[in-house]
Amino acid sequence: MSRSVAIVGGGVIGTSIAWQAARRGWRVRLYDPQFAASPTSIASASWVAGGMLAPLSEGWPGEDDVLALGSASLDLWPEFGGALEAATGLELFTSSSSLTVALDTADAQDLETIAEWVTAQGRELRILSRSEVRDCEPSLGRGVRMGLLSEAERAVDNRLLLSALRSSAASEGVECVGESVSDVDALEADQVVIAAGTGSATLWPGLPVRPVKGEILRLRTRPGVTPPPTRTIRASVHGRACYLVPRADGIVVGATQYESADTQVTVAGVRNLIADAETLIPALGEYELHETSAGLRPMSPDNLPLIGRLSDRVIAATGHGRNGILLTPVTAAAVVALLDGSELGEAAAADPSRFRLKERELSR
Ligand code: GLY
């Protein structure tokens, strides 16, 4: 008789674990009340996300573990995404590189710092001059002074990813249950995985995961408008992080960041995102404002997720903050290793025991 696992949370993290565990012979039940909702009413982080895979250009001196984990996952993406594409026929990757641009001297200095540090860690980033940036992406505005090119940082369509994971999991026999779970002890399974994003702390009190709200826009091209950039574009505009992620039909513009737990889209959030995006690419004003949405990032205190055992029966796979899509392959690999009684060295820094959870919180 095969062993059983109950996974709580049907976003990209929970569904990828379900898919991989089922492939390895586990009987899998995946719980999420949103299986019963229509896709457009879903406000989960996986549905709202931008889909950029940018651990190198978001690197910063001192954040060694964050860079190492993100890079390990980036390296897994071609095979992970390729397998999903082959299984489903969906085209998941929407760009193959990223370009971070500087609008002032301080930004330019930051890009030099990132390039130097990331290169010293054995990863490649290239500084581009103003004219090289404009040759790469002619639609960029005149205020751009310098760029940082990462040839390895792709982007994926997060919604197609969710769909590909769900159909691949179903093909492997994963049973999707459209119910919410409030007590992991009540689940009938040999093992339990908590992958419930911001809901994880209610399932395991003491888990340090909090909601951080983000608003995001989806723009569509219109006949005759300037085509979107071919790369993911990132920048700091008036001190606010802004990114533009290509899609087959337009571009995703993200994202605001607030310590808040609501998912209402605000006037100020949309205004700032549009203004910042137009600073980067002036022609975006001609695009269709197709969708505005807000989601809740499950943030941990130190920018690393929580991936590891909480007890002999329960595993955490949560707290991915701004990097859930990026960290999907490495999280799935790490959790499947734990289910099989081993460990993935690359995920060691994400072990929840680093927070010294109290005895009662660690094993129930
Ligand atoms: N993944 C980027 C963000 O959360 O804004």
Side-chain angles (χ1 to χ4, degrees):
M1 191 71 174
S2 59
R3 293 163 299 165
S4 61
V5 57
I7 300 169
V8 188
V12 290
I13 299 292
T15 312
S16 62
I17 295 166
W19 173 48
Q20 299 279 332
R23 286 175 104 183
R24 296 178 72 88
W26 287 80
R27 273 182 297 122
V28 184
R29 271 202 180 142
L30 181 62
Y31 293 83
D32 196 316
Q34 295 197 335
F35 290 141
S38 90
T40 49
S41 70
I42 293 176
S44 73
S46 298
W47 182 254
V48 174
M52 62 177 174
L53 313 176
L56 311 180
S57 43
E58 292 200 352
W60 193 251
E63 298 204 331
D64 301 54
D65 289 336
V66 176
L67 178 68
L69 185 68
S71 302
S73 206
L74 185 66
D75 291 345
L76 294 174
W77 255 107
E79 195 183 331
F80 182 87
L84 288 169
E85 287 187 332
T88 61
L90 293 170
E91 213 171 297
L92 301 182
F93 293 102
T94 63
S95 81
S96 60
S97 59
S98 82
L99 177 64
T100 308
V101 297
L103 299 176
D104 61 28
T105 325
D107 293 345
Q109 182 58 56
D110 283 352
L111 296 193
E112 300 271 13
T113 302
I114 294 167
E116 202 174 301
W117 183 69
V118 170
T119 307
Q121 312 301 309
R123 294 282 172 164
E124 198 185 328
L125 286 176
R126 193 150 61 88
I127 292 286
L128 301 186
S129 66
R130 182 198 297 254
S131 63
E132 287 173 320
V133 171
R134 289 186 62 81
D135 286 349
C136 269
E137 292 292 353
S139 60
L140 282 167
R142 298 197 165 277
V144 171
R145 303 168 70 106
M146 196 178 106
L148 182 66
L149 180 65
S150 175
E151 301 276 16
E153 292 182 330
R154 308 168 98 176
V156 292
D157 183 320
N158 54 305
R159 295 182 178 178
L160 290 184
L161 171 64
L162 204 47
S163 165
L165 283 169
R166 284 190 182 161
S167 69
S168 300
S171 311
E172 295 291 342
V174 170
E175 187 187 340
C176 291
V177 184
E179 293 170 9
S180 63
V181 172
S182 55
D183 180 4
V184 292
D185 293 338
L187 291 168
E188 282 179 24
D190 298 322
Q191 293 281 302
V192 174
V193 179
I194 298 177
T198 54
S200 302
T202 59
L203 292 168
W204 198 270
L207 267 192
V209 178
R210 69 182 200 285
V212 172
K213 175 178 173 179
E215 293 155 311
I216 200 161
L217 315 177
R218 284 177 154 77
L219 312 186
R220 288 198 175 163
T221 53
R222 296 171 51 240
V225 302
T226 307
T230 56
R231 297 168 178 79
T232 298
I233 306 293
R234 306 177 56 257
S236 169
V237 187
H238 306 303
R240 297 185 289 256
C242 181
Y243 53 82
L244 312 174
V245 193
R247 286 292 187 270
D249 57 0
I251 200 155
V252 176
V253 178
T256 59
Q257 192 155 320
Y258 318 95
E259 294 285 336
S260 178
D262 71 88
T263 53
Q264 288 152 342
V265 178
T266 65
V267 174
V270 173
R271 181 195 61 216
N272 289 344
L273 286 170
I274 292 174
D276 296 348
E278 281 190 287
T279 301
L280 295 174
I281 300 191
L284 287 186
E286 299 162 18
Y287 281 49
E288 176 198 357
L289 176 55
H290 180 71
E291 183 189 308
T292 63
S293 50
L296 300 177
R297 307 172 179 93
M299 204 67 88
S300 80
D302 63 359
N303 226 5
L304 277 168
L306 298 144
I307 308 169
R309 282 211 169 271
L310 298 170
S311 73
D312 289 345
R313 183 169 176 262
V314 181
I315 295 169
T318 187
H320 292 77
R322 300 183 61 247
N323 295 312
I325 306 289
L326 166 67
L327 297 177
T328 293
V330 79
T331 305
V335 172
V336 167
L338 289 169
L339 288 172
D340 286 348
S342 61
E343 281 179 15
L344 186 77
E346 288 89 334
D351 194 304
S353 64
R354 72 189 185 279
F355 290 113
R356 299 179 203 283
L357 298 177
K358 293 184 201 119
E359 193 64 26
R360 138 185 99 69
E361 292 164 350
L362 261 177
S363 74
R364 298 196 309 187

